Amino acid sequence: MTSLKHIISSSQFDKQKILYLITVANEMEAIIQKGGSDMARHHILATLFYEPSTRTRLSFETAMLRLGGSIISETDINFSSAIKGEILQDTIRVVASYSDVIAIRSKHKGDAKLASEFSSVPIINGGDGIGEHPTQSLLDLFTIYKKYSHRIDKEKIKIAFIGDLKYGRTVHSLCQLLRLFENIEITFVAPDILQIPAEYATNPSDKFETILTNDIVQNSDILYMTRIQKERFQSLSEYEKVEDIFHINVEKVNLMKKDAILMHPFPRVKEIDFNVDKLPQAFYFEQIKNGLPIRMALIAYVLDLL
Ligand code: NCD
């Protein structure tokens, strides 16, 4: 079992592996253009999604279909044996006996790791509560890499993460990947109660702010906005104190550098105005598109099809 290739945390990757996966994702883009391949024929992906999802689950499933494989899916915990009290370990043992790879999203940090300890097939973490979201961080990095390949490791690149950095698992995963590259300066912009957990802010050059100042907007190469994660708050009144704290509109985006980009893992709630979408800095739909080739690359990688 130890030789299985699970994807649990961004911390498991080194730079060489990241660059390799980016190369494979580029090849997958060409395969998508052609309509797909039959690389994963006779393989089955199981998606177990016990928290809401649109993009992540559908892009995993589309990725498997474009690779010529098949999918089985469980998306509503109310119809799952989990509701009868089945423990995750048992669910995983059962589903692993039907499938060749499992993508799982669950409510608790550490669930994907736990699943990997009981699975006879590779586990891919599609988000474990307030823990990590490594496949999102790979597609985010792929997006950044495509945009700034000429600058990465050469010139300084400034990124500001804005919003709910405490509960935002995409940020937890992405900032770990960015550490593998030279000269990336990170500013974490959040109110104190939503600031990034210390375990992810490991670089002495990291900066922390509570307000999104014009200075940050003007000088960043990447603004990475996130949603305030209402469902993770202990009380509604706590949420209401911070729900509108950050807001990006056309005037703000016009302050950004011409070739800077605005990213967001989505779903967006109120933090980015719709009329920002047409501006050249708005990169979130581009970012979403990159999920497909990255997840194709990851599925092919964990199934040893490359
Ligand atoms: C994110 C998630 O689920 O962590 N969405 C996603 O997968 N693209 C972000 C969020 O829910 O705010």
Side-chain angles (χ1 to χ4, degrees):
M1 267 192 214
T2 45
S3 64
L4 288 176
K5 291 182 172 132
H6 304 292
I7 311 284
I8 306 299
S9 161
S10 285
S11 62
Q12 74 189 71
F13 296 110
D14 58 20
K15 190 169 174 180
Q16 201 185 356
K17 188 58 57 59
I18 302 287
L19 295 177
Y20 169 68
L21 288 168
I22 286 179
T23 310
V24 176
N26 278 319
E27 288 162 14
M28 292 299 175
E29 283 190 326
I31 289 177
I32 295 167
Q33 291 295 321
K34 285 192 303 187
S37 90
D38 62 356
M39 235 176 167
R41 201 153 63 101
H42 306 310
H43 289 83
I44 295 175
L45 164 74
T47 52
L48 300 180
F49 273 61
Y50 299 135
E51 272 194 346
S53 170
T54 305
R55 279 154 296 278
T56 305
R57 183 175 60 82
L58 289 181
S59 70
F60 266 120
E61 295 182 354
T62 311
M64 191 50 160
L65 294 171
R66 289 268 184 235
L67 289 171
S70 309
I71 52 166
I72 54 173
S73 187
E74 185 167 74
T75 56
D76 188 341
I77 196 157
N78 295 312
F79 293 102
S80 152
S81 288
I83 208 84
K84 298 185 197 163
E86 182 171 84
I87 56 169
L88 180 69
Q89 292 91 315
D90 283 349
T91 307
I92 292 297
R93 282 197 188 104
V94 171
V95 176
S97 71
Y98 304 147
S99 59
D100 302 291
V101 49
I102 299 173
I104 180 168
R105 167 170 291 188
S106 64
K107 283 201 165 30
H108 306 289
K109 182 176 177 179
D111 275 353
K113 170 96 178 47
L114 181 67
S116 72
E117 284 158 14
F118 290 86
S119 181
S120 53
V121 302
I123 295 288
I124 305 181
N125 182 4
D128 60 330
I130 61 167
E132 285 208 44
H133 196 344
T135 69
Q136 175 74 37
S137 70
L138 284 164
L139 77 88
D140 290 343
L141 190 79
F142 185 41
T143 307
I144 294 169
Y145 201 85
K146 278 174 156 179
K147 169 77 188 176
Y148 290 125
S149 57
H150 56 295
R151 287 181 54 188
I152 277 187
D153 280 338
K154 298 187 190 91
E155 293 166 32
K156 183 178 280 190
I157 295 177
K158 291 188 180 188
I159 178 166
F161 287 106
I162 304 145
D164 188 341
L165 312 185
K166 179 180 180 187
Y167 300 123
R169 55 195 173 198
T170 72
V171 177
H172 302 168
S173 288
L174 180 56
C175 63
Q176 297 182 74
L177 289 189
L178 294 173
R179 308 270 184 230
L180 300 173
F181 295 84
E182 306 291 321
N183 257 326
I184 297 192
E185 187 186 283
I186 301 181
T187 304
F188 296 106
V189 186
D192 290 336
I193 61 158
L194 296 179
Q195 197 40 281
I196 187 93
E199 64 186 291
Y200 305 114
T202 50
N203 198 319
S205 70
D206 289 344
K207 296 186 165 62
F208 305 89
E209 299 290 343
T210 52
I211 294 167
L212 180 60
T213 60
N214 283 350
D215 188 53
I216 296 171
V217 174
Q218 283 163 344
N219 291 310
S220 297
D221 300 292
I222 304 160
L223 294 182
Y224 189 106
M225 280 304 280
T226 62
R227 170 180 77 90
I228 309 293
Q229 307 215 346
K230 185 178 182 181
E231 72 279 15
R232 312 225 187 253
F233 280 72
Q234 304 293 337
S235 79
L236 191 61
S237 63
E238 283 297 297
Y239 167 72
E240 282 165 352
K241 283 185 208 155
V242 289
E243 67 175 320
D244 291 321
I245 197 156
F246 299 116
H247 186 238
I248 297 265
N249 55 20
V250 169
E251 291 76 68
K252 274 239 156 66
V253 176
N254 284 337
L255 294 177
M256 293 172 72
K257 294 189 218 172
K258 285 277 168 298
D259 69 339
I261 58 174
L262 175 62
M263 297 176 69
H264 192 307
F266 268 43
R268 82 173 127 181
V269 188
K270 295 184 264 187
E271 55 281 354
I272 302 178
D273 278 358
F274 284 108
N275 52 7
V276 165
D277 298 358
K278 58 181 185 307
L279 302 178
Q281 289 92 341
F283 233 64
Y284 26 90
F285 292 112
E286 205 55 40
Q287 185 184 351
I288 288 167
K289 258 198 241 155
N290 288 329
L292 187 57
I294 277 289
R295 292 191 170 108
M296 287 170 74
L298 286 170
I299 292 170
Y301 167 69
V302 300
L303 287 175
D304 280 325
L305 303 175
L306 298 172

